[in-house]
Structures are given as C-alpha cells and as structure tokens.
Amino acid sequence: MTRELERDDELVLSELLNHVLDKGVVITGDVTISVADIDLVRVGLSLVLSSVETMERQRAPQRVAPGGNEDAPPVLPDRSPE
Amino acid sequence: MLHLYCLTAPRSEGVAAGVRGLAGAPVRVVSTGALDAWVSEHAEAPHPVTVELVREHDRVVRAALAWEAPLPARFGQDFPSEGALRRALAEREAALARALERVRGAVEMTVRVLLADPAAEAEKGAEGAREGPSGPPKPPAAPDDAQVAKSAAGREYLSRLRERQRREAELRHRADFLQTRIARAVAGIVLEEARTPSRPSSRSLTISHLVARRALSDYRRALRSFVDGEPGLRVLISGPWAPYSFTEPRRE
C-alpha cells in the first residue's frame, strides 16, 4: 500500500502525521486520540525510515558519477502556506 | 462539538472567513480578546482519525500561517461547547499569548538525519543466518547436554543484551554529536531548536528549528553547506511548517 505512494509523498505524509498528531499546543488535558491513531503515528515513523533507506538504495549507483551533485541531500519541496 | 485547529493573534476573523475545515465544515473564530481560536462545529468528534482529516486540519493551520504564525493545536482536541473552550483558554490565556508572541514572524523547519548503524546491520545478518529458514540446520543437542546448552543460551542472551546497550549508547553519542554540529551550522540564523525525543534504538535524529521567515534562504544555504561537507550523511529537510514543535513553554 505505502509503496504505491510517490517517494516524496511518503515523506511529506510521515512528517505531516508526526507534526499534527504528536506536536502542537494542548489546551485540554484530554486529547481524544484512540489506539488506532497511535498506530498512525507509528506508520509515519516507519514510513520515513523505509523511505530514506529506499532512497539510499536508489541513489547508491549514482554516487560513482563524477562531477555531479548527486550526493546532495533530498530536500522536500517547500510546502508553501500560500 | 468544536474541533480546535490553532490559536492566532486577535482580529483574524477576516482571514478565517471562507476557510473550510474537517469534512468541509466552515472555520470560525472564538475570540478571547488576547487571542483567537480557530474552530469548526461538528455533530460528534471525528473518529476514526484518517490521513485525510489530518491533512484537512493542517490545511486550516496553513491558512492561518499564511497570515501570521499561529500556535497549531495538536489534533484531537474537541470541546463540547464554546463555553468549555473559553474556560479552557481562560486558564492559560497569558501563557498562550506569550507563546504566540514567541513564534511571531517565524516558521518551523524540520531536519531528519538517518544515523548509520553498521553494528545493527551486522547483527541483523547474523540473526538471519541463525534463525532464517535458509540458514544451516543446527545439530541437535544431546539430552545430557541440556544443562550446558541452557547455560550457553544464557551467556548468549547476556552478550546480546550488552551488545544492544553498547549500540544504543553509540547511537545516542552519534545523535548528540550531530545535533551539536548542526546547531553550530545554523547558529545565528535560527531562533530556537527543539529535538524530538526518540526511542533508544532509533536511527533517526529529528531536530526542528524555529526560523524567521526573512532568514529562510540563509537557513537553507547554511544547511546545504553543512550537508555538502558530510558525504554519506542522509538528511531530509521539510518545511516550512507552522511552529508545531514550539508551542510549549521554553525549558530554561
């Protein structure tokens, strides 16, 4: 299922879940997140790791190419608030 | 039931007008005077939580961010009435207003580094050979050797435990070392940093930076230059986000 997502989509999704479900101000002591939601966070964390590892494998052959900047880190496209 | 998206500076009604929240519900503002709460009304709390609902929540937060940095609310805070929300806000109003002031004009950038862990890889390989279905079959232990086998298993267990502790300490050390170096690379550019706590065995180091909007290009340049000097380091940078990691009082 997750493999069907585009690589960047996976990363954006996992970052999104980690930010929205695990961070942010808590006004009430009673955040109504169920066990299923905690699983969502876990999905997010494993997604990002699998994504990075996938990227490493995909990038490995490119690194032998001389003169290029293939070793530049993957930078997610800006998600402009506008 | 009111679903809370974020808190903003006062007089945000014009910005919130027309913004749609969870399930397309219109977003409205509950103002306390010192701050505005962006909410939408629902017959019941949205369960189960889906990725789409999380996206919709963040979309509303981003609409506020386009105007001025809000305090994003963690997903899942639903209030039975406007009165209940007002009471909850009143209890912390001064602290929340200070927290809003802290993030004004800023956004969050998140840096995730994947830590190399060759020891774990080696052990994984060894486990695969020991336990994998294609591994060589172990010779069966003779019955009178049972005690010897048990003691050997105990020793192996302790040795693996020690190895795991050593590996976790090494990962902690690498993470701390990287954090220091990243902090040095963006010193003078970021306003604050926050490290996301992780499990001891985690290979991922996550650091969020609070960055003034006007300093974003300097921030990117500094980080790029740091990463370029670190061949082999796997780094993911995401943002700009609303300041999700900078909503709680600073730890002095």
Side-chain angles (χ1 to χ4, degrees):
Chain A
M1 179 68 185
T2 57
R3 295 260 65 85
E4 291 168 12
L5 294 166
E6 289 296 319
R7 199 173 65 193
D8 281 358
D9 284 350
E10 282 185 28
L11 296 169
V12 169
L13 175 60
S14 68
E15 286 293 348
L16 178 72
L17 296 175
N18 292 334
H19 278 84
V20 177
L21 295 181
D22 206 29
K23 296 173 179 176
V25 70
V26 177
I27 308 297
T28 165
D30 180 28
V31 179
T32 53
I33 295 283
S34 70
V35 173
D37 307 327
I38 295 167
D39 284 346
L40 257 185
V41 178
R42 288 203 186 124
V43 166
L45 287 170
S46 64
L47 262 180
V48 82
L49 286 178
S50 69
S51 303
V52 174
E53 281 155 0
T54 303
M55 215 173 288
E56 280 185 278
R57 281 199 297 278
Q58 286 170 346
R59 285 153 43 93
Q62 298 174 352
R63 264 183 270 152
V64 296
N69 67 342
E70 292 86 354
D71 273 346
V75 177
L76 294 184
D78 278 356
R79 290 157 49 87
S80 164
E82 279 74 34
Chain B
M1 190 70 79
L2 294 182
H3 176 86
L4 177 66
Y5 297 94
C6 59
L7 305 175
T8 72
R11 292 180 291 281
S12 67
E13 292 88 350
V15 187
V19 176
R20 296 279 164 175
L22 304 192
V27 171
R28 70 179 180 90
V29 168
V30 174
S31 185
T32 69
L35 43 88
D36 288 357
W38 286 29
V39 299
S40 59
E41 298 213 28
H42 302 269
E44 53 189 27
H47 280 295
V49 175
T50 63
V51 169
E52 194 44 42
L53 287 174
V54 170
R55 279 191 212 278
E56 287 169 351
H57 177 97
D58 185 58
R59 211 171 291 144
V60 173
V61 172
R62 282 176 183 279
L65 179 65
W67 173 60
E68 177 54 283
L71 285 185
R74 188 173 307 184
F75 192 100
Q77 292 172 81
D78 300 291
F79 296 83
S81 66
E82 189 173 316
L85 171 61
R86 285 183 179 282
R87 278 193 297 280
L89 289 173
E91 282 176 24
R92 296 182 55 197
E93 192 172 19
L96 291 168
R98 277 198 303 277
L100 255 179
E101 187 59 31
R102 171 190 179 195
V103 299
R104 197 146 67 116
V107 292
E108 174 175 333
M109 296 296 290
T110 299
V111 183
R112 212 173 256 256
V113 184
L114 185 74
L115 305 166
D117 186 11
E121 292 305 312
E123 189 184 69
K124 206 169 161 189
E127 269 176 15
R130 266 198 309 276
E131 297 162 11
S134 58
K138 293 174 198 162
D144 51 345
D145 283 350
Q147 203 54 43
V148 177
K150 207 185 258 179
S151 135
R155 273 198 304 277
E156 189 186 348
Y157 168 76
L158 286 175
S159 145
R160 286 173 65 179
L161 200 63
R162 273 195 297 273
E163 174 56 24
R164 194 176 72 198
Q165 284 167 344
R166 193 198 61 75
R167 204 170 66 234
E168 288 176 359
E170 172 65 18
L171 277 172
R172 255 197 321 274
H173 174 72
R174 288 186 195 189
D176 292 349
F177 182 61
L178 264 173
Q179 182 183 12
T180 307
R181 298 183 56 215
I182 291 171
R184 209 173 290 151
V186 296
I189 298 172
V190 305
L191 301 169
E192 287 182 47
E193 75 162 30
R195 177 167 163 182
T196 304
S198 54
R199 287 169 291 115
S201 59
S202 174
R203 292 180 57 207
S204 174
L205 166 70
T206 304
I207 299 171
S208 290
H209 290 125
L210 189 65
V211 187
R213 275 180 188 280
R214 63 175 183 282
L216 265 179
S217 50
D218 287 346
Y219 173 82
R220 287 201 181 90
R221 208 172 301 126
L223 217 47
R224 166 76 64 183
S225 149
F226 168 76
V227 175
D228 283 350
E230 298 284 338
L233 205 61
R234 293 289 161 257
V235 180
L236 301 158
I237 303 160
S238 69
W241 297 94
Y244 281 94
S245 305
F246 300 93
T247 57
E248 293 304 315
R250 221 172 314 202
R251 289 202 185 95
E252 301 297 346

